[in-house]
Every structure is written in C-alpha cells, then in structure tokens.
Amino acid sequence: MATLLDGKIMAAQLMEGLKSRVNTLKEKGISVGLAVILVGEDPASQVYVRNKGKACEELGMLSETILMPAQTSQEELEALIEKLNADSRIDGILVQLPLPRHLDEAKALRRIVPEKDVDGFHIENAGKLFTGQEGVIACTPKGIIHMLKEANVPLSGKHAVVIGRSNIVGKPIAMLLLNENCTVTICHSRTENLSAHTRQADILVAAVGRAKFVTADMVKPGAAVIDVGINRVDGKVVGDVDFENVEKVAGHITPVPGGVGKMTIGMLMENTVEAAERKAK
Ligand code: NDP
C-alpha cells in the first residue's frame, strides 16, 4: 500500500514556518500583503479566492480581495493592476483565472510587475524558470517538488513522466523535475500509447483534468504518483487518478482533496512572503 503524501499536514507545517517569517518582518515594521483580483462570479473561483483570504488571515498578512463585475473591460483590469503595482502595502498580486472570455489573460498577467507576480505566470518568471535563473515559481509545481522532497522521494536520475503540458502545471513541473536531474517525459492528448510511457515512470504527475484517468495498470509498482487534477463528479471533488486501485500499486500517492491543492495555497503564501522579504532587503 502506498505511503500517503498528505498535503494537509505538509501545508500546516509550511504555514507554521511562514507565520514566524511574517512575524520577523513585522518586528522590522514591514507588513506582508496579497491582493487577489476576481473578475465575474465563477463559483469555483469564489471558493479559491476565499481560501486564499483565509490563509492570509491565518498568517497575519494583509489580504485585499477586489471583486470586479463580469463585464469589466481590459483597460479597467489593467488600470487596477497598475494601481496595485504601485501600492507599497501589496507584495503579491494574483489575478484569479480563468478570466471572462472577452479579456486577454496573457496581456493582463504581463501587466503585473514580475516581483509581485506571486503566481509565477508572468512571461519573465516563466522565462527565468526555463533558463535556470532565479525567479518566482508557479505555486502548484513548486508545491509538488516540496511534497516529493518532504517525503524523501529520490529524484536525481529517476524517470519522471508528466501527463499534461499546460503553462500553469505541465510545462513548469516538467522543468522543475528536469532541474532536479530527473529524466523527463511530457505526455499530452496526442501522445501515442500513453500507458507505455507512464509505466516507465518512477514519478508520475497527472495534470489532465479527467476523473480516474490514471488507472492501476498505467503505474509502475513503487512509483510516486502525484495527482494534480480537480474534477467534480456528482458534487464530489476527485482527482485524475483512480486512487482506490492505484494506491495498491504505487509507492507514494497524493490524495484529492487534501493533496496538491493544499500545497498550492501554501506556496502562494510562501511566494508572497518571499516577495516581502525581497522588498525588505
Ligand atoms: P489544461 O486543460 O490546461 O491541460 C490539460 C492537459 O492534459 C493538456 O496538456 C492536454 O493535452 C492533456 N490531456 C487531455 N486529455 C488527455 C489524454 N486523453 N491523454 C493525455 N493527455 C491529455 O489543464 P491544467 O493543466 O490547467 O489543469 C489540469 C488539472 O489540474 C485540472 O483538473 C485542474 O483543475 C487541476 N489543477 C489543480 C491545481 C491544484 O492546485 N491542485 C492547480 C491547477 C490546476 P493537450 O495539450 O494535447 O490538449
């Protein structure tokens, strides 16, 4: 039976450490602030934004949630981002995605000054990751590496297979695993004979968005299986991995909920605290 990589426990430990870093900054008279912009009324986004606010509160950080109507124009959104760029109380700016269709996501994200881009989605931070320079790393992939390291899963020289090639999960996690000296294979919807690839994985990351997509026969015995997926089935949140059966084969496994998602928020907080620490310097 696989060892559970418990995101709740790991995130709680991370938050403890962050709390003391926030206090250290406060003692120097420096506050830490995160601004979250939510455009429209997507119910899932509202939940995510609320959870981010709660995490800020837990750490004693300033949290500002700006709700904008669904018909907000590109100009209005970018003007707000500019205002937050100039606001010294704000260390991190997050635009909750997805934005309503009429808005240009990439253009809006480019408006955030890279130092305050705590999601790590700005083209400059993505470019830094790809060229091996220090920058802000996207929260979900950063959280996955944290979990693997906390559990002492060997990475160097191991074969990591990532299913998914999005800019926010698939590509950055592949790059981070490469930086950890894994041999990395990236699979996607056009990959032929997917299970032949996944069965070779010592570390298997599923970021597909399809419930129970990864079945036990696709997993090498003893592999570390990281389930990034968030899917709603009959009102319940489930991952991309058929947990019940895969846990019998894998060496390590993350649950959904209570796995990668928990770490994502923790890493958002860490990126914001790091931004404030840079400001303090
Ligand atoms: P995207 O939809 O952007 O990407 C999904 C990827 O899966 C694509 O690259 C796609 O390939 C690939 N894919 C789709 N079908 C198949 C298939 N049959 N075989 C192989 N590959 C396939 O999603 P995201 O990367 O944004 O998110 C993935 C999942 O992770 C979602 O469930 C999302 O909700 C969740 N998520 C969870 C987070 C967390 O904190 N836990 C954070 C972010 C996302 P192609 O490129 O060819 O289309």
Side-chain angles (χ1 to χ4, degrees):
M1 206 61 125
T3 303
L4 195 72
L5 299 179
D6 192 323
K8 266 191 229 156
I9 293 176
M10 290 188 194
Q13 285 163 348
L14 180 78
M15 291 289 274
E16 275 311 306
L18 290 177
K19 219 178 269 178
S20 72
R21 284 162 73 179
V22 171
N23 285 337
T24 306
L25 285 165
K26 276 187 180 166
E27 282 159 16
K28 293 183 190 160
I30 298 157
S31 67
V32 186
L34 173 68
V36 179
I37 303 171
L38 175 60
V39 186
E41 283 163 10
D42 177 58
S45 293
Q46 286 175 337
V47 174
Y48 296 145
V49 167
R50 249 199 320 274
N51 288 343
K52 287 164 189 174
K54 273 190 214 156
C56 285
E57 222 172 89
E58 196 185 325
L59 295 181
M61 283 164 43
L62 167 75
S63 147
E64 204 165 289
T65 302
I66 301 132
L67 304 174
M68 301 189 84
Q71 65 273 21
T72 299
S73 69
Q74 186 77 26
E75 291 70 31
E76 285 167 328
L77 175 61
E78 291 187 25
L80 171 63
I81 292 171
E82 287 297 352
K83 195 170 133 235
L84 295 167
N85 280 341
D87 188 337
S88 61
R89 299 168 312 133
I90 299 299
D91 300 287
I93 303 169
L94 183 151
V95 177
Q96 185 64 45
L97 302 178
L99 287 171
R101 275 168 191 272
H102 69 280
L103 295 172
D104 184 337
E105 237 165 57
K107 192 160 172 270
L109 294 178
R110 277 201 302 274
R111 274 284 171 163
I112 302 173
V113 286
E115 310 82 70
K116 294 192 181 187
D117 165 43
V118 283
D119 248 344
F121 294 162
H122 190 285
I123 202 155
E124 185 173 314
N125 284 317
K128 281 181 168 167
L129 174 62
F130 276 65
T131 52
Q133 298 172 62
E134 203 175 309
V136 183
I137 295 168
C139 305
T140 301
K142 192 178 179 187
I144 293 172
I145 297 291
H146 182 95
M147 293 180 100
L148 289 168
K149 287 191 171 172
E150 279 287 300
N152 293 318
V153 173
L155 298 177
S156 184
K158 299 297 176 190
H159 191 176
V161 175
V162 178
I163 320 175
R165 56 173 163 179
S166 71
N167 289 332
I168 62 169
V169 190
K171 283 186 209 158
I173 186 58
M175 203 45 61
L176 287 173
L177 289 163
L178 184 63
N179 290 348
E180 296 296 334
N181 297 317
C182 289
T183 301
V184 182
T185 301
I186 307 177
C187 301
H188 45 78
S189 67
R190 310 289 169 89
T191 298
E192 289 178 4
N193 206 352
L194 180 67
S195 17
H197 294 285
T198 60
R199 271 198 295 269
Q200 288 180 22
D202 299 304
I203 298 121
L204 179 61
V205 180
V208 184
R210 290 174 67 170
K212 295 197 178 180
F213 183 78
V214 174
T215 46
D217 60 308
M218 292 168 75
V219 176
K220 176 177 169 178
V225 179
I226 307 294
D227 190 352
V228 185
I230 299 177
N231 309 293
R232 281 178 179 77
V233 177
D234 302 331
K236 260 180 69 183
V237 173
V238 297
D240 287 346
V241 174
D242 177 9
F243 185 91
E244 245 187 352
N245 293 308
V246 171
E247 75 166 336
K248 292 174 190 151
V249 182
H252 292 85
I253 191 165
T254 62
V256 177
V260 173
K262 285 275 170 207
M263 289 311 297
T264 297
I265 293 200
M267 287 299 153
L268 173 67
M269 296 300 120
E270 183 172 89
N271 280 349
T272 309
V273 173
E274 282 173 0
E277 287 169 344
R278 279 197 302 273
K279 173 181 75 178
K281 277 187 197 157

